[in-house]
Amino acid sequence: MKVLLTGGAGFMGSNMVRYLLNKRQDIELVNVDKLTYAGNLDNLKDVTGHPHYSFVKADIADREAMERVFKKFHPDVVINYAAETHVDRSISRPFDFAMTDVIGTLTLLESSRASGVTKFVQISTDEVYGSIEDGEWNESTPFDPSSPYSASKASGDHLVHAYWKTYGFPGIVTHSCNFFGPYQYPEKLIPLFITNLLEKKKIPVYGDGAQVREWIFVSDHCAAIESILDRGVAGESYNIGTGNRITNLELTKKLLATLDATDDSIEYVKDRPGHDRRYALDATKLKSTLGWKPIVSIDDGLRSTVQWYRDHEAWWHKIKSGEYLAYYKEQYHG
Ligand code: NAD
Ligand code: DAU
């Protein structure tokens, strides 16, 4: 099976490239990535040179570039991880998000349709549903996004469904909870807090820290996407959730304990505008129809994630000493 995977130099994309190449002999994979600030070829050092792997630096919103890639590679399947992903950045740079998450998705759909792709898996987010006080979202819950990021992802997801209804194009949309694990860019809560604590710096908790997020470890997400790749039904959506829900403050305390730090490291900072209060996914459909289930607990996942960041200081130090540091200072310290 020829797989075109986009965004494979980012956090979850690179974990999936590694997962597929290690696990599946039947796959030939091309990774298409623009290498934005979040794309990092250091994430893929161990697969470079693999006989079933190739890399193309390209923008998914560039029609000519996509036509060239599809003509050359003729993929059977497309998995679209490429996106602008950080909610805070979407508040200050919304156009970047619309360009990649909406126009990029559309461009990829159009090239995929013209090329006769037999399955298109859109990697999307629970954030398209908005915020939920009680209960859980299922796949029929209407979208109600809060940020320019989630609104852009919701638009991309609507386009995938529209291509199914209009052209019978075999798109599938996944809505996942928050990922965590190795290679996550240190702007997201878990890697930012781990690396700040390793550097003996403060950790910025937004608002009161009582927001609830649901967490999935990288290997569980990779297995969920593999089940959809093999058995997912065209035109459908699947929630990918674990039930591992926790407030940001509870999560922060777990990290403090794992890293032998105290509450003194916490700095309460201004809240994120439009901050969603609670996310909660009902993942019954994926579990009952495709047989997937998550196996990594939040505590085990956090322990191995902390260990990975301890062991890969050069990886994150390079990132934090450059572009990200300037961005972070501007956002939170004027
Ligand atoms: P990331 O920010 O770590 O990486 C994104 C990758 O996409 C980078 O390699 C970047 O270079 C590439 N990219 C960005 N714009 C591009 C473009 N125009 N053309 C080609 N490549 C481009 O992302 P992540 O956190 O691993 O998320 C991957 C996907 O999963 C995204 O679609 C995101 O919306 C979705 N998602 C993320 C989470 C999460 O918790 N991080 C949860 C649910 C869903
Ligand atoms: O729910 C899935 C989404 O999870 C993905 O679609 C997004 O791409 C991904 O970035 C993530 O979004 P969040 O906004 O939930 O992740 P983030 O790590 O930015 O923040 C997690 C929570 O922690 C959120 O409530 C905001 C809060 N937070 C975050 C940062 C970076 C803080 O309190 N302090 C921080 O410094």
Side-chain angles (χ1 to χ4, degrees), residues 7-13 32-40 58-61 80-85 100 123-126 149 153 176-179 184-185 187-188:
F11 159 49
M12 189 51 89
V32 175
D33 196 296
K34 184 181 173 183
L35 297 180
T36 67
Y37 78 95
N40 184 351
D59 182 341
I60 59 162
N80 183 25
Y81 284 84
E84 287 294 339
T85 64
T100 290
I123 306 298
S124 192
T125 171
D126 55 5
Y149 163 67
K153 290 295 288 188
S176 178
C177 59
N178 287 55
F179 307 153
Q184 188 166 32
Y185 194 87
E187 64 185 348
K188 309 285 198 271

Side-chain angles (χ1 to χ4, degrees), residues 7 32 50 58 262 286 301 310 328 334:
V32 175
H50 189 290
T262 66
L286 180 61
R310 280 191 196 279
Y328 173 75

Side-chain angles (χ1 to χ4, degrees), residues 83-306:
E84 287 294 339
T85 64
H86 196 49
V87 176
D88 295 326
R89 286 180 190 255
S90 82
I91 295 165
S92 48
R93 302 181 63 87
F95 282 93
D96 293 351
F97 286 70
M99 271 315 291
T100 290
D101 302 3
V102 187
I103 302 299
T105 301
L106 177 60
T107 307
L108 208 54
L109 281 167
E110 198 47 23
S111 294
S112 301
R113 187 170 78 88
S115 164
V117 160
T118 57
K119 189 173 269 187
F120 182 105
V121 182
Q122 169 77 346
I123 306 298
S124 192
T125 171
D126 55 5
E127 298 201 12
V128 298
Y129 297 124
S131 188
I132 185 165
E133 249 175 65
D134 301 300
E136 297 174 332
W137 296 300
N138 64 35
E139 289 81 356
S140 309
T141 308
F143 291 179
D144 185 19
S146 306
S147 68
Y149 163 67
S150 50
S152 302
K153 290 295 288 188
S155 308
D157 300 352
H158 279 313
L159 283 165
V160 177
H161 287 307
Y163 264 58
W164 166 246
K165 288 184 189 158
T166 307
Y167 308 111
F169 176 74
I172 296 176
V173 178
T174 65
H175 299 293
S176 178
C177 59
N178 287 55
F179 307 153
F180 73 109
Y183 295 102
Q184 188 166 32
Y185 194 87
E187 64 185 348
K188 309 285 198 271
L189 183 144
I190 289 180
L192 176 67
F193 284 15
I194 293 173
T195 56
N196 275 15
L197 290 170
L198 289 172
E199 292 180 299
K200 308 281 179 227
K201 289 183 182 159
K202 295 271 189 194
I203 50 176
V205 170
Y206 297 168
D208 61 5
Q211 305 82 7
V212 175
R213 293 292 181 271
E214 180 165 331
W215 295 93
I216 184 166
F217 191 65
V218 283
S219 51
D220 281 335
H221 191 267
C222 290
I225 300 305
E226 187 185 22
S227 74
I228 289 164
L229 207 55
D230 290 339
R231 300 183 296 285
V233 177
E236 295 291 325
S237 295
Y238 296 93
N239 284 347
I240 307 177
T242 58
N244 290 332
R245 295 174 201 140
I246 185 168
T247 67
N248 292 340
L249 210 47
E250 287 164 339
L251 177 60
T252 300
K253 302 235 171 176
K254 281 180 186 289
L255 291 171
L256 289 170
T258 313
L259 284 141
D260 288 325
T262 66
D263 287 10
D264 292 344
S265 297
I266 297 176
E267 182 186 10
Y268 288 92
V269 297
K270 68 181 179 190
D271 208 353
R272 170 185 283 173
H275 199 172
D276 289 328
R277 200 68 184 159
R278 178 173 176 270
Y279 297 155
L281 285 169
D282 174 357
T284 307
K285 179 175 170 180
L286 180 61
K287 291 177 183 164
S288 63
T289 63
L290 304 189
W292 169 83
K293 65 171 190 311
I295 51 180
V296 182
S297 71
I298 193 152
D299 287 337
D300 287 348
L302 282 178
R303 257 191 301 278
S304 66
T305 303
V306 167

